[in-house]
Amino acid sequence: MRTSPGSRILSVGAYRPRTRVGNDAIAARIDSSDEWIRRRSGIESRRRAADDEDLVTMATAAATKALAGAGVAPRDVSAVLLATMSYRGRATTVAPLVAAALGATNAAAMDLGAACAGFPYGLATADALVRSGAADNVVLIGAERMTDIVDDHDRGTAFLFGDGAGAVVVGPSETLGISPVVWGADGAKSELLRYAETGTLRMAGPEVFRWATAVIPPVAERALEAAGITAADLAAFIPHQANLRITTAAARALCLPPHVRVATDVITNGNTGAASIPLAMAALNGTSGPALLLGFGAGLAYAAQVVELP
């Protein structure tokens, strides 16, 4: 077994569904308005997956782009990890289906269930697999069809969520391209985000907002400390794209200097759950250097780490 001093993200790939849905179409179903949705969330539009854009299709497309960018062949993939909270297929997990579609026939494959914190949880897992020597190249995907689990008439959630998939390839590195993870969970507050008896997502919005804005700054500071850097050393801040107001409050609390790019993918793609961080990372194409990733959501779970952008 060959261990590695560190691991790094080799490349990023994204898949965004073809159909863009503006606020007016959503507002008509929840007795609201475009202005109300923008003021409450910062969202202007989101992507909605068509029938032929299922989770396997979107995840495979994003992972294929990431593998091409990394120059890694599917046969050289050791593991396929897929973070999702919206899979409703007949198979118990979606990762093996994606591995088969990629042609990664030698790879282990498993789903990770940490909701909107799933991507940084998965990144910590991929990093450990590579550094321990258990894997050479890991494909990590965040993929969601949130529209499958959201009630179009629920005023608290219908306007927030969108669909899509983002993927990265993680491989060995002589330096720490992925810093130690800082993570945790608060199960006592799990009722704030839960499934209703109908199988659709329900959220206590104001309470989740207060929890997120309270949790993010100290977790972010601990992640920076674990990486041995300060906010001034960052090139980018890429939090889970839950709500533009949460992102803005977090950036302000961290006193980020003007040169730090703050991901705002939520404006045009909504909250895409476990896919939101890799999708936002892909949208910052051309940015290099250290980036602070931070996921948070149902569970309630959270995780953060600093990574070197590919």
Side-chain angles (χ1 to χ4, degrees):
M1 181 180 293
R2 180 181 63 83
T3 60
S4 176
S7 74
R8 64 188 179 100
I9 296 175
L10 304 178
S11 61
V12 185
Y15 181 87
R16 302 179 192 275
R18 298 183 300 270
T19 304
R20 186 185 296 275
V21 178
N23 286 339
D24 289 338
I26 304 292
R29 294 194 291 265
I30 59 172
D31 188 26
S32 185
S33 67
D34 171 65
E35 187 276 333
W36 183 86
I37 293 173
R38 290 177 188 244
R39 175 164 42 84
R40 190 175 180 86
S41 67
I43 297 171
E44 299 174 1
S45 63
R46 73 284 294 146
R47 300 293 182 100
R48 292 290 172 92
D51 290 343
D52 63 343
E53 295 174 305
D54 61 20
L55 272 182
V56 174
T57 299
M58 295 192 296
T60 302
T64 298
K65 292 178 182 177
L67 285 170
V72 173
R75 65 178 177 274
D76 295 324
V77 174
S78 302
V80 175
L81 309 180
L82 195 142
T84 187
M85 64 181 291
S86 59
Y87 182 53
R88 293 293 180 267
R90 286 176 291 179
T92 54
T93 58
V94 67
L97 303 179
V98 174
L102 288 172
T105 55
N106 299 320
M110 68 175 179
D111 289 5
L112 291 167
C116 299
F119 187 81
Y121 267 67
L123 197 56
T125 303
D127 171 56
L129 289 173
V130 171
R131 287 190 295 104
S132 69
D136 289 325
N137 297 297
V138 177
V139 174
L140 170 62
I141 310 160
E144 302 283 16
R145 274 181 56 116
M146 297 300 292
T147 50
D148 287 344
I149 60 172
V150 171
D151 181 352
D152 283 343
H153 299 278
D154 177 19
R155 188 177 173 86
T157 59
F159 64 95
L160 286 172
F161 295 98
D163 303 330
V168 298
V169 177
V170 177
S173 172
E174 292 302 313
T175 58
L176 289 178
I178 300 174
S179 294
V181 67
V182 173
W183 52 6
D186 186 358
K189 293 184 173 64
S190 62
E191 285 296 307
L192 297 182
L193 272 161
R194 60 180 177 79
Y195 286 115
E197 292 182 1
T198 57
T200 55
L201 192 65
R202 290 290 184 268
M203 179 174 67
E207 290 86 350
V208 171
F209 181 90
R210 286 193 291 270
W211 172 79
T213 52
V215 163
I216 289 174
V219 171
E221 293 289 356
R222 287 166 55 202
L224 290 171
E225 182 179 353
I229 65 173
T230 69
D233 298 314
L234 291 172
F237 174 46
I238 311 176
H240 165 50
Q241 301 292 288
N243 184 309
L244 186 61
R245 292 167 57 213
I246 293 176
T247 296
T248 302
R252 186 184 306 117
L254 290 172
C255 299
L256 297 178
H259 73 266
V260 178
R261 294 189 67 183
V262 178
T264 57
D265 198 59
V266 67
I267 296 173
T268 54
N269 289 285
N271 180 341
T272 51
S276 79
I277 290 177
L279 282 172
M281 191 186 304
L284 294 181
N285 184 35
T287 301
S288 61
L292 172 61
L293 312 184
L294 202 158
F296 54 91
L300 300 171
Y302 56 86
Q305 67 262 93
V306 174
V307 304
E308 283 291 326
L309 294 174

